[in-house]
């Protein structure tokens, strides 16, 4: 049997000693539900070998890490932009707005911001850097990806109770075959993003 090599912990942040907030979003490619983003400031000495891009983790691992991140972070906050707001301003702007709202809610003002991806807009005068695949490179961005994902999944399970026919407890609003089939059969809800290509226009009705 081959011996499993323990994964090295991600570096906490790209800039040590300045309360750098890691930012990431979840739900950008969904047909329904809000887009969520998180901002997380970790202690400079934080170390957790399990921490990684949320997409590389199981649901059980994400839930486990969420509890630890929320308990051990210097500060954290989750920002939300609704489907209606997304339709008004587009998903890119909505994703960045969700990050800004998360930063607004931090109990500690960040000295710098590290953002997953390659697009961001200035947050006041706070310096920022963007990192492609940053959620697999820095612990503070990975932590933000986990909080954004778990909080969003929790919300999708909640609204699934209102509209169980769409299977949001399983597909979380993403464009699965079953989700599109449900839209074709039942129409759309107030939680659907009407500016997204849900189905050909002639097949859409308002729930």
């Amino acid at each position: 049997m081959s011996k499993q090599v323990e994964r090295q912990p991600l570096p906490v942040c790209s800039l040590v000693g300045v309360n750098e907030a890691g930012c990431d979003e979840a739900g950008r490619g969904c047909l329904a539900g809000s887009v969520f983003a998180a901002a997380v400031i970790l202690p400079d000495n934080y170390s957790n070998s399990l921490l990684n891009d949320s997409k590389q983790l199981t649901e059980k691992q994400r839930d486990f890490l969420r509890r630890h991140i929320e308990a051990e972070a210097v500060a954290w906050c989750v920002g939300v932009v609704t489907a209606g707001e997304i339709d008004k301003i587009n998903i890119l702007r909505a994703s960045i707005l969700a990050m800004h709202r998360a930063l607004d809610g931090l109990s500690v003002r960040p000295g710098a911001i590290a953002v997953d991806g390659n697009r961001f807009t200035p947050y006041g005068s706070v310096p920022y850097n963007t990192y492609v695949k940053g959620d697999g490179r820095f612990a503070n961005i990975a932590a933000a990806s986990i909080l954004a994902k778990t909080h969003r999944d929790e919300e999708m399970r909640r609204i699934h109770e209102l509209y169980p026919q769409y299977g949001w407890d399983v597909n979380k609003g993403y464009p699965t075959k079953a989700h599109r089939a449900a839209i074709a059969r039942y129409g759309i809800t107030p939680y659907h993003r009407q500016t997204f290509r849900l189905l050909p226009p002639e097949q859409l009705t308002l729930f």
Side-chain angles (χ1 to χ4, degrees), residues 7-10 24 46 48-58 61-62 65 69 133-147 149:
R7 185 173 172 276
Q8 289 297 311
L10 297 174
D24 200 4
Y46 186 85
N48 190 326
S49 60
L50 291 178
L51 201 58
N52 197 2
D53 169 10
S54 64
K55 297 184 291 296
Q56 303 300 318
L57 303 170
T58 65
Q61 288 172 324
R62 288 192 297 265
L65 285 165
I69 293 163
K133 298 184 179 179
D135 46 8
R137 296 169 60 186
F138 299 107
N140 56 353
I141 303 179
S145 77
I146 290 165
L147 294 196
K149 171 65 174 168

Side-chain angles (χ1 to χ4, degrees), residues 7-39:
R7 185 173 172 276
Q8 289 297 311
L10 297 174
V12 172
C13 57
S14 61
L15 298 171
V16 177
V18 297
N19 282 331
E20 182 187 78
C23 289
D24 200 4
E25 55 76 25
R28 185 168 170 173
C30 296
L31 302 181
S34 302
V35 64
F36 278 57

